[in-house]
Amino acid sequence: MVDLAKITEPLSLDRFVPRPGGPLVLEVDLTEGVVDEGPQNPVNQILNRRKQRYLDVLEGVRRGARDPKVAALLVRVDARTLGFAQVQELRDSIIDFRSTGKPAVAWADAFGENGDGNLPYYLACAFSQIVMSPSGVLGLTGLMSRQTFFKGTADKLDIQFDVGKRHEYKNALNSYTESGYTDAHREAVESVVDSLSDQLVTGVSEARGLSREKVREHIAEAPILAREALDEGLIDRLAYRDEIYADLLGKVREQHGSEPSLQFVTRYHRKNTPPPRPRVGGGSGYLALISAQGGINVGRSRRSPLGGGNVMGSDTVCAAFRAARQDPQVKGVVFRVNSPGGSAVASDLIRRESELTREAGKPVITTMGDVAGSGGYYVALGSDAIVAQPATITGSIGVITGKPVYGQLLERFGISTDSVTRGEHAGMFDGFEPFSDSEWERVNALLDDIYQDFVAKVARSRGRTWEEIHEVAKGRIWTGADARERGLVDELGGLETAIRLARDRVGDGPLPVRAFPRPNPLDQLRPDESSEDLSSAGPENSLAPWGSPMGVAAHLGLPTAGPLIMPGVWNIR
């Protein structure tokens, strides 16, 4: 079994705290939320110290499965900060924990009292026991994806949108150019929702021993009252928190003959994580875990220490790949991507560095998170293999660009402008005038060139012809399950699967996995020696307490970071 014990190495003094003597019951409270990627800056590590890292939870559960000191797992289930693919990855770790014979109990006050109960309950179905409070509700109401269209508002305001795209499924700006779904847009969304709904029904059916037809009947009747859920076999018990804890701790005490101790999984993980080894030195080496999140842009990665959005900067990610190639201890790379795409140039730069790393003899395996489409798929093309969860949103191999034209709106309010230009296309991307005929020629040339190159690189990476990839491209999104059927993904799974593939290709046994790069805090105090210096391309910090403006733009359906961007925000619940 894969040992994920060295995936993350957080700064901690926990190892100096005395450990509990009795059996451990590990706890996870998902109502507090999780973050997928921890900050690398030491100050940000302190500011975000109390936040649960998703990888810490995942790894702690897997470690606890094989630790004789760990007797059981107790999780307060919620999924408000988790996407469908993350829930599937966490489900896999819970199933692995249960395979050792240890009890794993999921409890919730309610599964979606006012909706959004699908993912929490889907996660709970991986446990050996599901408990809900007597006053709770099971909101297994089925999935929905809603799109808001602003064309009517734009028309009333005399705002025009000039949009060019390749091809019909690339619908990131349909919110402003259409009043509802186009046939292609509806087809793509229905395909994704159908695939995810089928995965939800299958997961509940297999876990609860119910037919798929019966599960669909329950979904049609939901929300389901607590007593109804118990009678129908959808949950195992009705109990309050005090009863749940007393029952499980009592069973552990009886089985082990000593008083059990409760401990959060993240704290357990940090206490049992060995201190980091020096960057250079002896040993058989390790696999480098390079994480990249957010919209893709040229430059350095950026993130807010106060909870804003992430930007995947090509400079930062490319520098990480170069450092991995140059480090003799790095034997291979696991590249974790969670991105809706963005800049075509930045995406290609990252793809190039990944490809160079693979050509240097160090295998690169890409593992996709909840979303890895358009530019988020492009960056994976340099790797040896692509791994995605069945619910990952990916594909979107297409290109789009456009601009709002609001000159008439300003005129309505008596606002006028004037300009002086030198060059026929000097005001091409200005918002006061629509594209001219000659400007449309350049826009179309740009779209054609990017699309042709994008499809060609996918075809080369996947060992297919341009025509074969074009048929599954055209800007269309796919779930990971559908993408695998169409040859865009190699295997279904998560981080564990990617690590297994990387170790198989390296062939040096069970190499440890480490977050990479792991810069020294002192690196930020000394001058950079050259552009080859890893610290010269380190992530920047952006104080954005209200979140990333890119996130607002994404919710409005605007292309936030470049022509290789996926449409809108994919949050299907």
Side-chain angles (χ1 to χ4, degrees):
M1 176 56 62
V2 172
D3 178 15
L4 301 183
K6 295 184 177 63
I7 288 180
T8 53
E9 300 164 334
L11 181 64
S12 176
L13 298 177
D14 289 339
R15 60 180 56 91
F16 299 109
V17 180
R19 299 185 180 184
L24 285 176
V25 175
L26 298 182
E27 275 190 292
V28 181
D29 186 353
L30 292 176
T31 63
E32 294 184 356
V34 296
V35 294
D36 194 55
E37 183 181 22
Q40 295 183 8
N41 182 284
V43 176
N44 290 357
Q45 287 180 359
I46 296 174
L47 291 175
N48 291 277
R49 181 65 181 163
R50 294 189 61 84
K51 290 187 177 181
Q52 299 179 104
R53 289 186 58 193
Y54 172 69
L55 292 180
D56 287 352
V57 174
L58 197 70
E59 181 185 353
V61 171
R62 291 194 180 277
R63 183 197 294 274
R66 281 151 189 84
D67 187 344
K69 300 185 185 68
V70 173
L73 176 66
L74 184 59
V75 178
R76 186 179 184 186
V77 174
D78 198 296
R80 281 173 289 184
T81 61
L82 295 173
F84 217 120
Q86 284 183 311
V87 166
Q88 288 180 330
E89 194 167 22
L90 189 52
R91 276 171 55 94
D92 290 341
S93 70
I94 300 300
I95 292 171
D96 176 61
F97 186 93
R98 287 182 56 190
S99 70
T100 63
K102 300 177 182 181
V105 178
W107 73 279
D109 299 316
F111 292 97
E113 183 177 9
N114 297 307
D116 276 358
N118 299 293
L119 286 187
Y121 182 68
Y122 179 54
L123 174 59
C125 283
F127 289 75
S128 51
Q129 186 181 42
I130 304 175
V131 188
M132 185 169 68
S133 72
S135 56
V137 176
L138 176 53
L140 184 64
T141 53
L143 303 181
M144 179 182 70
S145 176
R146 181 179 294 279
Q147 179 85 44
T148 302
F149 295 88
F150 301 97
K151 184 178 185 301
T153 302
D155 289 344
K156 290 180 179 180
L157 294 174
D158 289 326
I159 299 176
Q160 170 188 334
F161 281 82
D162 278 3
V163 177
K165 61 183 180 180
R166 298 295 183 273
H167 282 271
E168 65 268 24
Y169 294 103
K170 198 71 173 178
N171 45 54
L173 283 176
N174 280 18
S175 292
Y176 296 94
T177 61
E178 306 290 340
S179 299
Y181 286 127
T182 63
D183 291 343
H185 194 171
R186 181 176 293 278
E187 178 188 355
V189 174
E190 285 183 344
S191 175
V192 168
V193 175
D194 284 345
S195 178
L196 297 181
S197 180
D198 186 67
Q199 294 171 40
L200 173 65
V201 170
T202 300
V204 175
S205 171
E206 293 177 349
R208 304 308 298 177
L210 302 171
S211 69
R212 292 167 55 85
E213 292 72 21
K214 189 63 177 177
V215 174
R216 293 189 187 278
E217 288 179 12
H218 287 313
I219 290 174
E221 296 166 354
I224 302 168
L225 302 179
R227 177 55 61 179
E228 294 173 337
L230 182 64
D231 293 342
E232 293 294 333
L234 293 170
I235 61 176
D236 299 293
R237 185 185 175 199
L238 296 178
Y240 293 103
R241 181 191 183 279
D242 60 296
E243 297 172 316
I244 298 167
Y245 276 69
D247 179 67
L248 181 60
L249 293 176
K251 289 179 180 178
V252 171
R253 185 184 305 111
E254 181 179 346
Q255 179 182 358
H256 292 265
S258 59
E259 189 65 28
S261 299
L262 286 168
Q263 191 169 78
F264 281 121
V265 164
T266 51
R267 187 165 178 79
Y268 163 78
H269 160 65
R270 289 168 181 165
K271 281 187 175 183
N272 290 276
T273 299
R277 299 176 183 176
R279 285 187 190 169
V280 294
S284 59
Y286 59 93
L287 298 177
L289 175 66
I290 298 176
S291 295
Q293 291 196 67
I296 304 172
N297 263 330
V298 174
R300 295 166 67 177
S301 296
R302 300 187 298 278
R303 61 176 61 90
S304 168
L306 302 181
N310 291 340
V311 173
M312 184 198 308
S314 58
D315 287 0
T316 301
V317 180
C318 289
F321 273 107
R322 286 196 298 271
R325 288 202 302 274
Q326 296 167 7
D327 189 337
Q329 293 296 306
V330 173
K331 305 302 180 182
V333 173
V334 175
F335 185 31
R336 186 171 179 87
V337 177
N338 194 18
S339 170
S343 163
V345 173
S347 300
D348 190 42
L349 295 175
I350 295 171
R351 177 208 61 82
R352 170 68 174 172
E353 292 294 342
S354 173
E355 185 176 72
L356 290 174
T357 304
R358 173 173 56 83
E359 292 175 350
K362 299 188 177 186
V364 179
I365 308 296
T366 295
T367 172
M368 295 177 165
D370 284 314
V371 176
S374 202
Y377 184 80
Y378 200 129
V379 298
L381 297 179
S383 57
D384 292 274
I386 300 174
V387 177
Q389 289 289 351
T392 297
I393 304 299
T394 187
S396 194
I397 303 167
V399 56
I400 189 169
T401 191
K403 67 173 183 177
V405 181
Y406 45 80
Q408 293 185 28
L409 172 63
L410 297 181
E411 290 178 5
R412 179 190 296 183
F413 292 96
I415 301 173
S416 60
T417 67
D418 205 348
S419 63
V420 176
T421 61
R422 297 295 183 270
E424 186 175 352
H425 296 163
M428 182 171 174
F429 292 101
D430 186 86
F432 290 90
E433 297 290 340
F435 290 130
S436 66
D437 290 344
S438 64
E439 287 171 346
W440 267 118
E441 289 180 8
R442 299 315 304 160
V443 169
N444 286 321
L446 174 69
L447 295 173
D448 287 337
D449 183 70
I450 294 175
Y451 184 76
Q452 292 281 340
D453 185 53
F454 193 174
V455 173
K457 286 189 170 75
V458 176
R460 185 182 70 180
S461 173
R462 307 305 301 170
R464 310 279 287 279
T465 66
W466 193 96
E467 290 74 18
E468 288 173 329
I469 295 300
H470 174 60
E471 285 303 310
V472 297
K474 303 179 183 178
R476 181 163 180 169
I477 55 171
W478 304 100
T479 62
D482 290 338
R484 184 169 183 257
E485 289 181 3
R486 288 155 180 81
L488 298 177
V489 166
D490 293 290
E491 287 203 29
L492 297 179
L495 190 59
E496 180 187 6
T497 302
I499 291 171
R500 171 177 56 80
L501 292 177
R503 285 174 172 166
D504 289 346
R505 289 180 181 269
V506 172
D508 285 347
L511 293 173
V513 183
R514 300 182 189 173
F516 188 90
R518 193 171 181 82
N520 189 311
L522 297 178
D523 289 345
Q524 300 188 31
L525 302 179
R526 63 173 178 80
D528 299 326
E529 192 67 27
S530 71
S531 62
E532 288 292 303
D533 197 326
L534 183 61
S535 63
S536 69
E540 297 177 331
N541 298 317
S542 174
L543 290 174
W546 304 112
S548 168
M550 289 177 58
V552 177
H555 280 285
L556 294 176
L558 291 169
T560 58
L564 300 188
I565 192 72
M566 288 186 62
V569 175
W570 284 95
N571 187 19
I572 300 175
R573 294 184 176 268

